[in-house]
Amino acid sequence: MQVQIAAFAKDRGVAPAKVIQVLEDLGVDHDGKAFDADQDILDLLTEALGEAGDEKTLRLASGVTPRDLATAMGVAQPEIQKLLVTKMKVMATLTTSLKDDIAEKIAEAYGYKIAWGSGAKPAAPVAKKAVVKAPEGDQIRPPVVTILGHVDHGKTSLLDYIRKANVAAKEAGGITQHIGAYQVQLPEGTISFLDTPGHAAFTAMRARGAQVTDIAILVVAADDGIMPQTIEAISHVKNAEVPMIVAVNKVDKPGSNPDKVLQQLTEHNVIPVAYGGDVEVAKVSALTGEGVPDLLEVILLQAGILELKANPKGELRGVVVEAKVDKGRGPVATILVQNGTLKVGDAIVVGQTYGKIRAMTDHLGERLKEAGPSTPVEILGLSDVPMAGDKVEPASDEREARGIAEERAMIAREKSLAGPIKRITLRDLRAQLNSGETKTLNLVVKADVQGSVEAVRGLLEKVQNEEVDVKVIHSAVGPISDSDILLASAADAIVVGFNTKPEANAKVQAERAKVEIRTYSIIYELIEDIEAAVKGMLAPKFEEQYLGTVEIRVVFNLTKVGKVAGCHVTDGKVLRGAMCRVKRDREIAWEGKIDSLKNVKQDVREMIAGQDCGIQFDGWIDFKEGDVIEAYELIQVN
Ligand code: GDP
């Protein structure tokens, strides 16, 4: 039947524009004046008009997701999830279909009623944000979690407890294999844990370009509070921009003070939800298991908010978590699948190694034929042992895989011959700024006492200009450690020490990773250097390094070459091109460069103690028998 819009609107006491809006929402054809409708459509329209006028009624189809609800009410998605988990004890991701009564309860909490419709897409009364559909095939994947914290705060115990409580008990033998990662399956969802706690593993992976962790758990013992490695871990996690959950552990211990830990955390800019921030905290005991289910729940909640997705049918992507050579089995690697599905028989390239997967087992030692996203598996069949953090990529067959791996190995060799990896240095900062390579100067600051840490940090943060951001990514009391170097290499930072020195091992590591360390004992020199570097005006600083001592025993006058000093090396060595100071009667007769160095008539690069040689100087011939030459080199120290 033909219905006039104006009359229909008048009958129901609404504006004609409202009728048109509802007609469009329901997808009913109209020409602005009239529309065709049967009784069903009229009923639907009447119902919709009644509710559309009521801002507090949501018209939704059955099976809504938390995300639909959030959109319809104009509420932030995490809020809905939090409500679900904490108040209603319902574990759901953003795209899980909710039971109608649960959805109604949520709506009620925000003052809405739900009118369940037939499936016609509802008009959202508040927010009309488009729901972005995930690309075809993308599915929610389990979160990958790493546990960090100070030594002895219970990282290993917590990992063990979670594994035992959720994994081993289900197995007949209850024997789990250590493969570097494990997965727990809970009724509410699955979580993958990386089994090497601590920030060394976390940051080493990142330094190699692999970001594996989705969520970091910071363990802090309630009886000990925030300790140096806790602060380091906070810096590492913040720098990697990974969401953090705090597990206050050992709450079973008499004298433990979880609230003090929360207070301390705020001092390090980790603000718990209880203090108005956004960091979730779970109070747990790895000994008794108290609070551990809450922790797991919070992890799943956080994962839901992150909407971690991967496509099991997509291209294979993975990363090596751990690798070793096994006597009987050859190279063994634990791989975390990040996208796609890894199958037995697949040809893969893993960093500079390759192979065809011979066998695959999970953390229970069970044989698998395939593994999807976020699953850790141990694989056999690689040509060699890859490195943790190496990427796993597909190849069409073993031959192709081998070709790619070998080419990579060759390029890597050439690169290592070509010179050290390029890293940021204060001297090159200006050049790197000019070439657009960087805009930030990241610094790791270590100092002798807390007062100086604060002072240095405060002053450094004032050194800014419009081109450079000076950012202190970590600051702490103590010597410069391995962990500082690791963080600096992952974040391309420079380490500055004030009244403190690098530990021996850190020095070696820094040389290997080409991380610059600068130490100072005068605060304004430190600040001046950074200021100068930012302006691109840092003058090179040289230090003299003694090489050796040489005596002039005879002076030759040769027709073709001119005057030559016949010398004997009495200590150390002398190099062609080295700097030298010529002393005569305790006075310095000349200072300059050694131009030529000869052994009899042959040009040589170096002569050592006990050898005789002929020396000519760069632009000086007034040398005499008995002169003593002190040779040295100038080493650039910045
Ligand atoms: P990690 O160095 O952080 O891995 O710490 P561990 O897991 O090795 O734990 C250090 C010590 O603390 C061990 O002796 C554990 O038994 C003990 N411990 C760990 N968690 C708890 C806990 O929740 N309560 C108590 N009372 N002791 C714990």
Side-chain angles (χ1 to χ4, degrees):
M1 83 183 93
Q2 178 93 32
V3 183
Q4 295 302 314
I5 292 177
F8 186 82
K10 202 171 165 213
D11 274 358
R12 281 151 186 86
V14 295
K18 188 111 232 167
V19 177
I20 291 173
Q21 187 203 323
V22 174
L23 284 170
E24 284 177 357
D25 282 344
L26 295 174
V28 178
D29 278 344
H30 67 92
D31 63 1
K33 289 193 178 122
F35 59 94
D36 263 332
D38 56 17
Q39 193 54 50
D40 277 356
I41 292 183
L42 285 180
D43 287 349
L44 210 59
L45 261 176
T46 309
E47 185 191 336
L49 271 174
E51 287 153 1
D54 176 3
E55 290 279 283
K56 286 291 184 186
T57 303
L58 307 172
R59 288 190 304 107
L60 297 167
S62 193
V64 286
T65 64
R67 184 199 262 161
D68 291 342
L69 276 174
T71 308
M73 299 190 295
V75 176
Q77 296 174 355
E79 262 192 52
I80 305 275
Q81 280 219 299
K82 203 183 253 170
L83 190 70
L84 270 168
V85 176
T86 53
K87 296 262 156 52
M88 301 182 189
K89 305 284 173 211
V90 174
M91 202 43 78
T93 69
L94 278 175
T95 49
T96 310
S97 284
L98 297 172
K99 285 192 187 138
D100 291 353
D101 61 324
I102 300 280
E104 279 169 11
K105 273 192 197 143
I106 294 175
E108 213 179 286
Y110 290 92
Y112 286 93
K113 277 192 307 200
I114 300 183
W116 296 111
S118 58
K121 258 298 169 204
V126 183
K128 279 200 171 170
K129 248 200 318 196
V131 176
V132 185
K133 256 194 117 182
E136 204 63 37
D138 270 12
Q139 289 182 10
I140 295 285
R141 63 166 177 84
V144 178
V145 176
T146 299
I147 298 193
L148 300 93
H150 192 74
V151 65
D152 280 348
H153 278 199
K155 299 179 292 293
T156 317
S157 307
L158 192 57
L159 276 163
D160 286 348
Y161 181 87
I162 294 171
R163 178 176 14 218
K164 280 201 195 101
N166 298 285
V167 184
K170 291 185 202 137
E171 297 311 303
I175 302 162
T176 54
Q177 317 277 316
H178 174 88
I179 66 165
Y182 68 85
Q183 225 178 31
V184 297
Q185 256 125 21
L186 305 160
E188 301 85 2
T190 302
I191 308 173
S192 298
F193 284 92
L194 292 185
D195 211 356
T196 320
H199 46 260
F202 176 82
T203 303
M205 287 245 199
R206 207 163 78 76
R208 309 211 59 238
Q211 179 86 284
V212 187
T213 306
D214 298 310
I215 298 169
I217 309 294
L218 179 72
V219 174
V220 189
D223 60 339
D224 207 16
I226 301 244
M227 296 302 277
Q229 286 165 357
T230 320
I231 302 169
E232 277 181 24
I234 294 172
S235 298
H236 283 245
V237 172
K238 280 198 172 168
N239 202 260
E241 293 179 348
V242 169
M244 187 199 298
I245 294 170
V246 174
V248 180
N249 190 32
K250 307 199 186 183
V251 292
D252 61 282
K253 273 195 153 179
S256 73
N257 190 349
D259 291 331
K260 188 166 160 227
V261 174
L262 299 201
Q263 181 64 44
Q264 288 179 325
L265 283 168
T266 60
E267 288 159 24
H268 295 274
N269 260 331
V270 175
I271 321 285
V273 172
Y275 284 59
D278 57 0
V279 179
E280 296 285 352
V281 176
K283 295 175 185 172
V284 301
S285 164
L287 199 69
T288 65
E290 178 191 340
V292 175
D294 295 337
L295 174 65
L296 298 176
E297 206 171 275
V298 176
I299 295 173
L300 284 170
L301 167 68
Q302 181 78 49
I305 295 168
L306 293 171
E307 288 196 69
L308 305 164
K309 287 198 169 140
N311 186 346
K313 294 203 176 83
E315 186 171 79
L316 175 70
R317 218 163 7 91
V319 68
V320 176
V321 172
E322 185 173 284
K324 60 178 184 212
V325 184
D326 184 286
K327 264 195 190 146
R329 302 182 297 164
V332 180
T334 296
I335 296 199
L336 183 81
V337 180
Q338 295 176 298
N339 197 55
T341 301
L342 190 64
K343 300 188 193 81
V344 170
D346 276 355
I348 51 172
V349 187
V350 184
Q352 294 173 30
T353 68
Y354 66 94
K356 193 168 170 176
I357 299 180
R358 259 199 347 255
M360 210 152 64
T361 43
D362 66 7
H363 58 283
L364 302 169
E366 257 172 55
R367 290 238 168 189
L368 297 182
K369 285 221 150 45
E370 49 180 60
S374 293
T375 315
V377 279
E378 195 176 70
I379 62 160
L380 295 184
L382 289 181
S383 59
D384 207 340
V385 184
M387 289 202 267
D390 271 347
K391 294 188 179 72
V392 180
E393 292 150 291
S396 50
D397 54 34
E398 210 175 346
R399 244 186 86 201
E400 188 195 63
R402 179 183 182 152
I404 298 170
E406 286 179 351
E407 196 178 328
R408 278 191 191 159
M410 201 177 73
I411 293 170
R413 263 197 308 275
E414 278 168 8
K415 260 198 191 152
S416 75
L417 289 178
I421 359 153
K422 213 170 150 221
R423 284 235 185 259
I424 196 161
T425 62
L426 272 199
R427 286 264 327 127
D428 294 345
L429 181 65
R430 173 66 3 196
Q432 286 176 307
L433 286 172
N434 290 347
S435 67
E437 279 173 55
T438 185
K439 266 188 76 79
T440 318
L441 173 60
N442 284 335
L443 297 170
V444 171
V445 174
K446 293 304 280 279
D448 53 346
V449 290
Q450 191 56 33
S452 6
V453 173
E454 311 273 321
V456 173
R457 208 189 157 109
L459 286 167
L460 282 176
E461 278 168 357
K462 285 198 198 114
V463 184
Q464 305 285 353
N465 66 20
E466 60 282 3
E467 285 173 290
V468 197
D469 246 351
V470 178
K471 207 165 132 197
V472 177
I473 58 168
H474 173 61
S475 61
V477 173
I480 296 161
S481 68
D482 278 14
S483 165
D484 297 325
I485 305 299
L486 201 58
L487 177 59
S489 86
D492 206 5
I494 292 169
V495 183
V496 287
F498 175 66
N499 280 340
T500 185
K501 290 217 153 30
E503 286 167 353
N505 202 21
K507 221 168 167 175
V508 176
Q509 282 251 6
E511 269 163 32
R512 203 174 292 151
K514 304 287 169 243
V515 168
E516 184 177 17
I517 301 179
R518 284 171 166 260
T519 50
Y520 297 86
S521 52
I522 298 171
I523 204 161
Y524 77 81
E525 278 185 3
L526 186 162
I527 304 299
E528 259 182 11
D529 269 8
I530 303 288
E531 270 175 346
V534 165
K535 290 189 196 127
M537 286 165 35
L538 188 71
K541 216 160 63 194
F542 292 98
E543 249 171 33
E544 209 177 288
Q545 195 168 44
Y546 170 78
L547 286 174
T549 306
V550 180
E551 267 178 35
I552 302 183
R553 299 244 162 119
V554 53
V555 176
F556 303 106
N557 233 324
L558 306 177
T559 32
K560 272 196 192 146
V561 281
K563 238 171 135 186
V564 175
C567 307
H568 182 78
V569 185
T570 54
D571 180 47
K573 61 182 179 183
V574 59
L575 301 178
R576 184 176 64 220
M579 297 298 294
C580 71
R581 210 170 276 126
V582 183
K583 288 186 182 161
R584 189 179 300 157
D585 306 328
R586 291 167 200 259
E587 303 262 315
I588 295 174
W590 185 75
E591 194 160 3
K593 202 162 124 192
I594 293 174
D595 203 23
S596 95
L597 183 66
K598 282 189 193 325
N599 181 10
V600 193
K601 281 186 177 164
Q602 199 118 41
D603 275 314
V604 287
R605 220 188 71 76
E606 173 182 319
M607 294 301 277
I608 56 167
Q611 293 181 313
D612 290 325
C613 56
I615 288 180
Q616 282 183 304
F617 301 92
D618 183 22
W620 186 63
I621 50 167
D622 294 334
F623 44 84
K624 291 200 172 109
E625 200 180 301
D627 284 353
V628 175
I629 307 167
E630 194 182 289
Y632 61 90
E633 264 181 324
L634 285 175
I635 308 283
Q636 191 174 329
V637 289
N638 68 9

